[in-house]
Amino acid sequence: MSHLPILPFLVPLLAAALLMLLHGHPLAVQRSVSMGGTLAGLAAALLLLHQAAGGVMSVYALGNWPPPYGIVLVVDRLAALMVLLVFLLAVPALLMAAGGGSFDARGRHFHTVFQLQLAGLAGAFLTGDIFNLFVCFEILLLASYALLVHGGGAERARAGLSYVVLNLVGSTMFLVAIAILYGTLGTLNIADMALLLPAVPAEDLPLVRTGLMLLMLVFLLKGALMPLGFWLPHVYAAATVPVAILFAVMTKVGIVALLRVSVVALGDAGAAARLFLPWLPLLALGTIALGTIGAFAARRLATVVAHLVVISSGTLLFAIAMADEAATAALLYYLPHTTLVTGGFFLLAGAIALRRGAIADHLVRGPVIAGRWALGFAFLVMAVAASGLPPLSGFIGKLMLLQGAAAPGWQAAWWTTLLVSGLGVALVLARVASTLFWEPEGHQASAVETQRIGPVASLALILLVAASPVLTFAAAPVSAFARATAVELHARTPYLEAVVAGTGPVQRETRPTPEPERTAP
Amino acid sequence: METIVSLGVGLLMGAGAWLVLRPTSFSVVLGLTLMAYAINFLIFVAGRIDRTSPPLTLKGTSGWADPLPQALVLTAIVISFGMTAYLVALALRALGDTGTDRIDGRAGDGDERP
């Protein structure tokens, strides 16, 4: 058995442990170890993607305990794609942390926690059972709590407190769901659940459905669906720049977990019939509308970008609710695009904020920004990509979504919402650009107030600005991969066979007959 | 037995939910702790309430108590303990930064700390 599948989880974890020991050493040492860990993780993720793209589904049984008894990591195309995305976003985030404004020097243990967050993210995408998913969620959440308040200040402490409480309640719900599902199905392995769900006895059905709904609720809380997503703009805008970049992939954890569980585990089992309809598509459309309105009302560039994250969540969740192969294929092309673009936009907002001194990224007229031509061009590329205008990948992604993700009856609402929201985003970003770049007030800000962002952070910016053009030029291979992923996911049998076949007959619990009540001894 | 356990879990969960909705972070911490207790019970009984099966596989016995919920509950306890510790530290820091125990960081009317 190759040990490759566990490396994206293990490497950051070891790097975090090493960084803990290196605490007190010069920042340069910590930065190189952290970057080394991230690059090693990236290499492992690329190898995994190469393997998965060849149609090989690798199953890694921890401690060699065969599934469904033991814990498994499963690398299919979806998991490989998401792990690669995590590390692709982590590299520029780290570059920005080290090179622009020394974000990692504003508090202790930045790099340790950063690596733990990477481990949690990679683990959450790779795992093949729900309890391990919970554990990875907790690892990434605990790291994100610490990263969020990194840098200090009352604003972050307040945002941090509500974020932590909300997610702790979410974790509680997750455990309730796990307990109910284990109590009724007797398994927590996703593939095993898929085999058991069609045969749930009728008297257990309401309980199983409750458990599944609670599980979905937790994923939707992480994915920021409408009534559960009000925490997001507040929290993302309060985080420091490198942290916000990494957070761009965090909402996707909930969304991908929802996709995996709803397609692989639920499938078309009777127990899960009409679990999502019609409320999920409706709320997803509401999320898109709310994000657009919020973007209009935002007074900081980072808050505008946070609302872009909300809009993309709504878009992706609608595609999941349609639960069909074409929708999933479109979703999987749009997902890397939107993750990289929102991450890059957070970076750009940070770079602009550093150049504007005290007024930072507040949307008020300010002094002329040094290097405004380069930043302005970057803003143009990002804005075109984010609002889904041609010719960049946002347009291609939205076109695929418009065609693929419209079940009969939803078409009108879906097209209207998506197109109007795109128009709204374009308007907001045009207004932001004219405030930031075209209406300077006074002279160039003095060099004392502003900070240069340095070549390393510029490299990070170039990497992320280039993401959308690259996805545009590589649209054919990427969308072919997305389609192959969707086919593999919806076929279900490759996943189920890889995980639970070949382990022989599984011993199931025989349900005990109710014990007659005894009288007191 | 089932009735007592489910009533207990429900009571703990209800009390926890009520406390979490209070506006001061101290009661929120207490509420989350109560909810964690409720969860621990719930996971524990997910492996069936069983008074006769041995906890270990012994010679001459058939069947044994499900060991998995015990492992799950142990993990859940450790995680909720760590989270609570972090939340307390964060609440103290917010108290120092904003000068109030209220969850929104604004000094409000009523509901102040005693």
Side-chain angles (χ1 to χ4, degrees):
Chain A
M1 183 167 62
S2 154
H3 290 285
L4 187 62
I6 201 172
L7 285 185
F9 178 69
L10 212 53
V11 168
L13 209 59
L14 290 177
L18 187 60
L19 281 161
M20 196 88 105
L21 296 177
L22 287 176
H23 180 237
H25 282 66
L27 214 48
V29 179
Q30 297 187 29
R31 284 172 181 168
S32 8
V33 171
S34 191
M35 190 42 107
T38 312
L39 288 178
L42 181 64
L46 280 170
L47 280 175
L48 280 181
L49 187 78
H50 177 72
Q51 213 174 63
V56 182
M57 199 169 297
S58 11
V59 177
Y60 184 86
L62 278 95
N64 257 344
W65 287 91
Y69 306 109
I71 294 170
V72 284
L73 301 182
V74 187
V75 189
D76 57 353
R77 285 189 175 90
L78 177 63
L81 173 71
M82 291 314 296
V83 170
L84 180 67
L85 203 54
V86 169
F87 286 99
L88 278 183
L89 213 53
V91 173
L94 256 190
L95 289 176
M96 186 66 185
S102 292
F103 287 103
D104 54 352
R106 295 189 190 175
R108 283 179 292 172
H109 294 299
F110 175 86
H111 290 290
T112 313
V113 181
F114 188 89
Q115 294 295 324
L116 281 176
Q117 167 103 46
L118 291 184
L121 283 167
F125 289 127
L126 288 172
T127 179
D129 80 287
I130 294 186
F131 195 77
N132 213 21
L133 183 65
F134 166 74
V135 174
C136 289
F137 262 48
E138 294 308 303
I139 296 176
L140 83 91
L141 282 175
L142 192 49
S144 78
Y145 302 157
L147 282 178
L148 175 60
V149 295
H150 176 82
E155 174 65 22
R156 288 198 189 104
R158 195 185 312 153
L161 198 60
S162 47
Y163 174 69
V164 173
V165 169
L166 200 63
N167 276 299
L168 281 181
V169 176
S171 305
T172 313
M173 292 303 123
F174 203 155
L175 283 171
V176 175
I178 285 174
I180 291 177
L181 288 176
Y182 185 75
T184 47
L185 295 176
T187 185
L188 293 173
N189 184 299
I190 294 177
D192 204 24
M193 277 171 66
L195 297 182
L196 289 176
L197 269 173
V200 176
E203 72 264 25
D204 279 355
L205 208 57
L207 212 49
V208 170
R209 285 176 69 93
T210 312
L212 290 174
M213 279 305 288
L214 279 170
L215 199 62
M216 300 304 142
L217 194 73
V218 178
F219 295 156
L220 292 173
L221 171 71
K222 308 282 190 268
L225 188 75
M226 187 163 66
L228 303 172
F230 290 113
W231 57 272
L232 191 144
H234 188 52
V235 166
Y236 279 35
T240 48
V241 182
V243 177
I245 298 171
L246 199 59
F247 277 13
V249 77
M250 222 167 56
T251 48
K252 276 63 182 182
V253 177
I255 291 171
V256 169
L258 181 70
L259 178 69
R260 158 118 32 231
V261 171
S262 68
V263 174
V264 177
L266 305 190
D268 43 11
R274 299 188 63 80
L275 206 57
F276 289 149
L277 295 170
W279 58 273
L280 185 58
L282 271 181
L283 288 180
L285 292 180
T287 310
I288 300 176
L290 196 73
T292 314
I293 296 169
F296 271 106
R299 291 189 197 156
R300 282 180 56 200
L301 182 51
T303 318
V304 174
V305 184
H307 282 102
L308 294 183
V309 177
V310 174
I311 297 173
S312 81
S313 274
T315 313
L316 295 170
L317 287 171
F318 184 88
I320 291 181
M322 290 300 112
D324 113 275
E325 209 174 275
T328 310
L331 156 98
L332 288 171
Y333 180 82
Y334 190 69
L335 184 112
H337 152 80
T338 185
T339 311
L340 292 171
V341 166
T342 43
F345 228 136
F346 275 122
L347 205 164
L348 183 63
I352 291 175
L354 285 176
R355 295 275 176 102
R356 275 162 55 98
I359 52 173
D361 62 343
H362 287 274
L363 297 178
V364 290
R365 291 163 64 186
V368 180
I369 307 169
R372 66 195 155 124
W373 289 106
L375 285 179
F377 179 70
F379 192 95
L380 178 68
V381 173
M382 289 311 223
V384 168
S387 50
L389 295 176
L392 290 182
S393 54
F395 175 71
I396 303 174
K398 280 201 176 167
L399 199 63
M400 287 172 76
L401 282 168
L402 285 176
Q403 287 177 338
W410 287 102
Q411 225 150 17
W414 171 231
W415 285 27
T416 316
T417 315
L418 203 61
L419 293 175
V420 170
S421 151
L423 178 68
V425 170
L427 281 177
V428 170
L429 293 176
R431 202 186 59 179
V432 169
S434 76
T435 312
L436 292 180
F437 297 107
W438 281 350
E439 302 171 1
E441 194 175 58
H443 297 287
Q444 197 158 337
S446 62
V448 188
E449 286 180 346
T450 62
Q451 281 173 287
R452 298 205 58 78
I453 55 172
V456 179
S458 307
L459 174 66
L461 189 58
I462 291 168
L463 282 178
L464 280 179
V465 169
S468 181
V470 167
L471 277 175
T472 313
F473 282 115
V478 175
S479 63
F481 183 82
R483 203 164 301 121
T485 314
V487 170
E488 183 183 76
L489 210 57
H490 281 272
R492 297 175 73 220
T493 33
Y495 187 96
L496 303 188
E497 274 175 7
V499 180
V500 279
T503 53
V506 179
Q507 271 188 26
R508 303 277 180 210
E509 171 204 50
T510 45
R511 187 160 295 219
T513 46
E515 205 180 327
E517 277 298 323
R518 293 180 199 166
T519 45
Chain B
M1 193 66 188
E2 279 83 354
T3 323
I4 298 175
V5 170
S6 34
L7 279 179
V9 168
L11 190 69
L12 281 173
M13 201 62 162
W18 188 78
L19 279 171
V20 163
L21 295 173
R22 307 300 302 156
T24 54
S25 49
F26 181 65
S27 26
V28 171
V29 172
L30 281 187
L32 284 169
T33 315
L34 285 187
M35 282 167 108
Y37 288 153
I39 295 303
N40 293 344
F41 272 121
L42 187 65
I43 298 180
F44 202 69
V45 298
R48 310 270 176 270
I49 300 170
D50 194 347
R51 284 178 289 187
T52 49
S53 311
L56 302 165
T57 49
L58 301 170
K59 254 185 194 164
T61 56
S62 62
W64 53 88
D66 191 346
L68 193 70
Q70 303 171 24
L72 299 185
V73 96
L74 204 58
T75 317
I77 289 174
V78 172
I79 287 179
S80 70
F81 180 73
M83 292 294 174
T84 312
Y86 183 80
L87 183 60
V88 170
L90 194 65
L92 283 175
R93 184 162 157 184
L95 179 64
D97 281 349
T98 60
T100 165
D101 190 31
R102 282 178 64 92
I103 216 98
D104 56 3
R106 286 182 213 124
D109 34 62
D111 264 323
E112 289 301 303
R113 276 188 321 147

